[in-house]
Amino acid sequence: MSTDRYQKGLDKLKELTVPTEHKPTGHMDIGEAYAEVAPDLQRIIVEFAFGDIYARPGLDNKQKVLTTISALVAQGTPQIGMHVVTGLNVGLTPDEIASCIVHLIPYVGFPRALTALKVAQEVFAEQGVKVESSAS
């Protein structure tokens, strides 16, 4: 059963990322850096987060990633950038991502939203994309 969960998680990861020759999970950090102190972390992340949660029906990939970005903005965590890249990979526009973060201001506060917008701005620059709409 565990092997099936792991493969299901890897398959979902491949939908969300752009795999490279040297990194089958693309830009997504799935715990490789912690192998020395938590050797089973990668398996847990792949099986649980992607095999069980991201692979669930009910939301499409865009909705799942936008929900993830919103939760990370609310928490103020450094993984925001990684998931902004994922959002672009699954078809979210820079406008949708930026608008989502601005929409969160009354719920998470200016500091967290501004930090997230800065991260998004950096990702957009790295990816060569920009926000097209202008708010009124």
Side-chain angles (χ1 to χ4, degrees), residues 10-58:
L10 280 179
D11 291 345
K12 179 50 79 172
L13 266 166
K14 290 177 184 174
E15 285 180 33
L16 303 171
T17 64
V18 178
T20 67
E21 178 182 341
H22 301 291
K23 194 149 184 331
T25 58
H27 70 280
M28 190 68 69
D29 178 3
I30 57 168
E32 297 99 332
Y34 303 99
E36 189 175 307
V37 295
D40 58 345
L41 181 61
Q42 182 174 339
R43 178 189 54 78
I44 292 167
I45 290 171
V46 171
E47 288 178 355
F48 178 67
F50 296 97
D52 293 343
I53 302 302
Y54 261 93
R56 291 184 75 226

Side-chain angles (χ1 to χ4, degrees), residues 88-103:
L88 295 171
N89 286 344
V90 299
L92 288 170
T93 67
D95 298 55
E96 290 169 324
I97 294 168
S99 293
C100 172
I101 295 169
V102 169
H103 180 80

Side-chain angles (χ1 to χ4, degrees), residues 60-131:
D60 64 29
N61 285 340
K62 287 181 183 183
Q63 293 168 322
K64 290 174 185 178
V65 175
L66 204 55
T67 301
T68 300
I69 291 170
S70 297
L72 295 173
V73 171
Q75 296 173 42
T77 63
Q79 292 83 6
I80 295 167
M82 179 173 57
H83 289 279
V84 168
V85 173
T86 304
L88 295 171
N89 286 344
V90 299
L92 288 170
T93 67
D95 298 55
E96 290 169 324
I97 294 168
S99 293
C100 172
I101 295 169
V102 169
H103 180 80
L104 292 170
I105 290 171
Y107 307 101
V108 303
F110 277 100
R112 287 195 175 164
L114 293 175
T115 298
L117 283 170
K118 182 67 173 165
V119 171
Q121 185 178 39
E122 291 167 359
V123 169
F124 298 160
E126 290 168 8
Q127 299 290 315
V129 298
K130 55 181 144 180
V131 175

